[in-house]
Amino acid sequence: MTPFPLPLESLLGHWPSYLVYLAIGFGFGYVLEIAGFGKSTKLAAQFYLKEMTVLKVMFGAIITAMVLIFLTSALGLLDYNLIWVNPTYLWPGILGGLIMGVGFILGGFCPGTSVVAAATLKIDGLVFVLGAFFGIFAFGETVGLYEEFWNSSYMGRFTLPQFFNVDTGVVVLGVVLMALAAFAFAEYSERVFGKGLLGAQPRWRLGAAGVLVALALVTLLIGQPTNADRQAGLAVVQNTTLNDRLVQIHPGELLSYLNNRMVVPYLIDVRSETDFNAFHLPGAHHVPLENVLALAQELQFLPRNTLFVVMSNDETAATEAWRILNAESVPNVYILEGGINRWLDTFADAEFQAAYRVSAAGDDQLAYAFPVALGARYAAADPNPAAFNLEYTSKVTLSVGRGATGGGCG
Amino acid sequence: MTAVSRELPRAATSVRVARQEKPYVNPYFAGILLGIVLFLAFFITGNGLGASGGMNRLLVAAQDLIVPSHIDRVPYLLDMAGGDRNPLDSWVVFISIGTILGGAVSGWQHGRMKVEINKGPRISNRTRLLMAFIGGGLMGYGARLARGCTSGQALNGGATLSVGSWAFMFAVFAGGYMLAYFVRRLWN
């Protein structure tokens, strides 16, 4: 199992875990200050091509962090699925970005740098912070007027490798090379527009560039772990969990969660479309087994009180789906014990069972011959929990989990 | 270039006397250091960095103190501070507090902790501060609209290869460069 990111909250406790963020914030503020980002004139110079510090620091930071993230992910140290990737809301992002660009050139800061400027007693930084508070306040008061636009063009966790449909390593290498080209342009522009006032550039930067390219190449060569790699790494744990039947939950337990307002069940039905149409549980998502992997990324960041339950007619396909989702680090995934067949054996009335119960044609096949495809409209799909007195061992424990907690600028 | 107020608070004066202002580090060096901080934020916590989010939550906390009933009528605010939710109970708030501390410590250490207004040579202090307020307002508004500022969107999403963040980053530079020529008097 990948050791990082750390499960900070279970390691340290809720409030103490924030000390880690305090330390990271300290490093962030310190580095912004030594870069000169507390000084508005230095930041604004970027837009007159005289001094390209902003571009150098930002792209330098992005490619350094990117290479390290994907290298450690390739090496199996970091789980990329568990880190926050800003969800794409394309047009609100672009419009917000344009407004921020205007704010940048007028005000001379961005929010993070203005905090550092204010912390070092720059009055213009302090006034900028006050302005930013006002802007944030104004947004909170006006977003209701165009909430539809604010939530539009949502593409979820959408990454450049998916967009270009190429291997992650190729994108990583491409971004590094693009940034190096931008640095070369920046130095040229500083010589022309800045009239060489900045003096000679240090020679070590060429070595640093070489190291980044080399690490990007290594990342590309190793490749990012596939679901099969992840399953192989987890094989022992997964087999033990499945054999000890720690994640197969009784139909009665699932029913209790369907009627529990503290927990949001997310039912994943991996059977054929025919079987799904014939009968399924209310609200179940029909996801053929081959689509489960693609779904995993979406499920990753649903609220922590979401309970995922995979189901097939019996357990074979559901178990396969569980292995995929578990390997992708989706938290709180369970299997409906005995599948839809056991559900019907438990909740369909005697008359219905006498009329339609057949023996299953094979492993994981439907053991009921439904007269019509009513889906979730059969009475047995939505049984009244008060009418059944079932005995079972509860297995669900919702874990706090680890990794991103809805990050970005939340 | 720099207008320093004559009546400096005493603390600031003594700091200024005690420390010689040192030059900033090489931008590539700063970039690599910032990249390492950003990487560690993801590697250890999974969350990355943020700035405007912390400011947002501080503001909401203040609003919750003054007009709690207002919070309960606006869905966007409700999400952070409705009912018994504490808007300060968030990692991004602690990143922001750390940023202030880190900036202050470095500023003090390198003799750059002093009361001043940085501006272009051709504008008055008043113009500079007015522009800082307007620019800050636009930044704050845009950052919430875009769901993140230069740190929370551009740095985080840039390093984790989010499509939306890369589009956002180009939009920020485009907005700045489009207007830069027309406001050149502010800075040159």
Side-chain angles (χ1 to χ4, degrees):
Chain A
M1 196 170 114
T2 49
F4 290 92
L6 294 171
L8 284 181
E9 220 173 302
S10 35
L11 277 181
L12 303 173
H14 182 68
W15 287 97
S17 72
Y18 288 149
L19 287 175
V20 175
Y21 294 100
L22 195 69
I24 290 169
F26 185 91
F28 183 41
Y30 194 94
V31 176
L32 288 182
E33 208 286 332
I34 59 172
F37 280 12
K39 192 170 180 174
S40 54
T41 43
K42 208 170 168 64
L43 292 165
Q46 169 71 38
F47 292 98
Y48 300 98
L49 304 176
K50 286 192 272 191
E51 192 192 326
M52 309 292 275
T53 304
V54 175
L55 183 134
K56 290 180 188 170
V57 176
M58 266 191 66
F59 279 99
I62 287 173
I63 59 174
T64 305
M66 172 190 72
V67 165
L68 291 173
I69 286 169
F70 291 100
L71 180 63
T72 49
S73 164
L75 294 172
L77 290 171
L78 174 69
D79 192 339
Y80 178 62
N81 281 345
L82 289 178
I83 70 172
W84 173 259
V85 176
N86 299 64
T88 295
Y89 292 82
L90 191 62
W91 292 111
I94 289 177
L95 181 64
L98 286 170
I99 294 175
M100 287 176 71
V102 171
F104 202 154
I105 192 67
L106 291 180
F109 292 109
C110 61
T113 56
S114 71
V115 167
V116 171
T120 51
L121 308 180
K122 312 293 179 249
I123 306 293
D124 48 335
L126 198 64
V127 172
F128 186 98
V129 170
L130 292 177
F133 273 123
F134 178 77
I136 292 169
F137 169 77
F139 179 77
E141 299 305 306
T142 55
V143 63
L145 303 175
Y146 58 93
E147 204 140 10
E148 201 174 327
F149 171 74
W150 192 52
N151 289 315
S152 65
S153 52
Y154 175 65
M155 301 173 193
R157 183 178 167 122
F158 184 38
T159 63
L160 290 177
Q162 292 168 332
F163 178 70
F164 292 120
N165 197 19
V166 293
D167 188 72
T168 303
V170 175
V171 176
V172 169
L173 184 62
V175 170
V176 169
L177 295 177
M178 199 193 72
L180 295 180
F183 294 155
F185 162 77
E187 291 183 9
Y188 168 78
S189 129
E190 281 174 348
R191 279 197 301 275
V192 174
F193 297 97
K195 303 191 178 66
L197 288 174
L198 297 173
Q201 302 284 343
R203 287 192 63 83
W204 60 259
R205 74 196 196 286
L206 301 175
V211 170
L212 278 170
V213 171
L215 291 178
L217 272 172
V218 171
T219 308
L220 173 63
L221 288 177
I222 302 175
Q224 298 295 306
T226 62
N227 187 262
D229 296 337
R230 288 161 164 268
Q231 284 196 41
L234 284 168
V236 178
V237 187
Q238 286 199 338
N239 290 338
T240 316
T241 309
L242 290 167
N243 293 337
D244 294 348
R245 300 197 66 79
L246 300 176
V247 289
Q248 290 87 343
I249 62 170
H250 188 274
E253 187 170 11
L254 174 57
L255 183 63
S256 78
Y257 280 107
L258 293 178
N259 293 284
N260 180 337
R261 287 149 68 95
M262 305 291 281
V263 171
V264 182
Y266 190 106
L267 309 180
I268 302 160
D269 194 324
V270 298
R271 298 174 302 153
S272 70
E273 195 168 349
T274 319
D275 289 355
F276 183 80
N277 288 342
F279 176 88
H280 60 255
L281 300 190
H285 298 78
H286 181 231
V287 186
L289 207 47
E290 62 268 26
N291 295 349
V292 168
L293 182 58
L295 181 73
Q297 296 216 322
E298 268 175 59
L299 304 184
Q300 200 65 252
F301 294 103
L302 288 177
R304 286 288 153 89
N305 64 339
T306 311
L307 172 69
F308 299 100
V309 182
V310 286
M311 59 192 72
S312 53
N313 285 319
D314 196 333
E315 285 182 9
T316 310
T319 304
E320 185 52 36
W322 182 88
R323 283 181 185 274
I324 295 170
L325 293 176
N326 179 262
E328 292 296 319
S329 310
V330 178
N332 305 319
V333 187
Y334 291 85
I335 298 167
L336 176 60
E337 188 175 62
I340 290 295
N341 289 339
R342 179 82 56 84
W343 177 277
L344 285 163
D345 293 346
T346 311
F347 296 118
D349 57 36
E351 202 180 319
F352 186 89
Q353 292 195 10
Y356 305 117
R357 181 80 159 96
V358 293
S359 58
D363 179 47
D364 218 7
Q365 298 293 313
L366 199 54
Y368 283 79
F370 289 93
V372 278
L374 286 183
R377 282 169 292 161
Y378 279 104
D382 191 14
N384 173 10
F388 296 89
N389 191 12
L390 300 166
E391 275 187 27
Y392 54 84
T393 322
S394 295
K395 292 175 182 166
V396 173
T397 46
L398 289 180
S399 70
V400 183
R402 60 187 183 133
T405 47
C409 269
Chain B
M1 278 295 268
T2 311
V4 182
S5 157
R6 292 233 168 263
E7 288 158 336
L8 288 168
R10 202 158 285 154
T13 317
S14 61
V15 166
R16 204 163 68 97
V17 170
R19 296 267 165 177
Q20 184 72 38
E21 181 166 341
K22 297 199 180 83
Y24 296 116
V25 301
N26 177 277
Y28 292 121
F29 177 69
I32 292 170
L33 276 189
L34 185 57
I36 291 170
V37 172
L38 180 59
F39 164 71
L40 286 177
F42 278 116
F43 193 64
I44 297 171
T45 75
N47 274 319
L49 297 168
S52 65
M55 293 165 88
N56 182 33
R57 282 177 178 272
L58 285 173
L59 181 78
V60 175
Q63 282 176 282
D64 200 23
L65 279 179
I66 305 164
V67 280
S69 61
H70 178 68
I71 298 276
D72 292 334
R73 279 196 296 271
V74 181
Y76 169 78
L77 301 174
L78 195 60
D79 207 32
M80 283 174 281
D84 55 4
R85 282 192 200 178
N86 179 357
L88 301 182
D89 184 359
S90 163
W91 62 275
V92 74
V93 172
F94 290 83
I95 293 258
S96 297
I97 297 171
T99 308
I100 297 171
L101 294 176
V105 167
S106 169
W108 171 76
Q109 221 178 21
H110 300 104
R112 295 189 282 259
M113 174 77 94
K114 57 184 172 189
V115 180
E116 62 179 343
I117 298 173
N118 290 310
K119 63 179 184 63
R122 290 195 284 173
I123 57 170
S124 66
N125 280 347
R126 184 186 293 185
T127 313
R128 170 70 188 111
L129 294 185
L130 181 68
M131 285 301 153
F133 189 84
I134 295 173
L138 291 169
M139 266 286 178
Y141 197 94
R144 295 322 293 170
L145 179 57
R147 297 177 167 79
C149 53
T150 330
S151 19
Q153 270 281 12
L155 288 180
N156 287 358
T160 57
L161 301 179
S162 159
V163 172
S165 299
W166 279 87
F168 163 86
M169 206 182 328
F170 285 114
V172 174
F173 278 105
Y177 277 109
M178 274 193 307
L179 201 66
Y181 177 79
F182 303 101
V183 297
R184 60 190 182 281
R185 229 189 76 110
L186 288 178
W187 300 107
N188 292 288

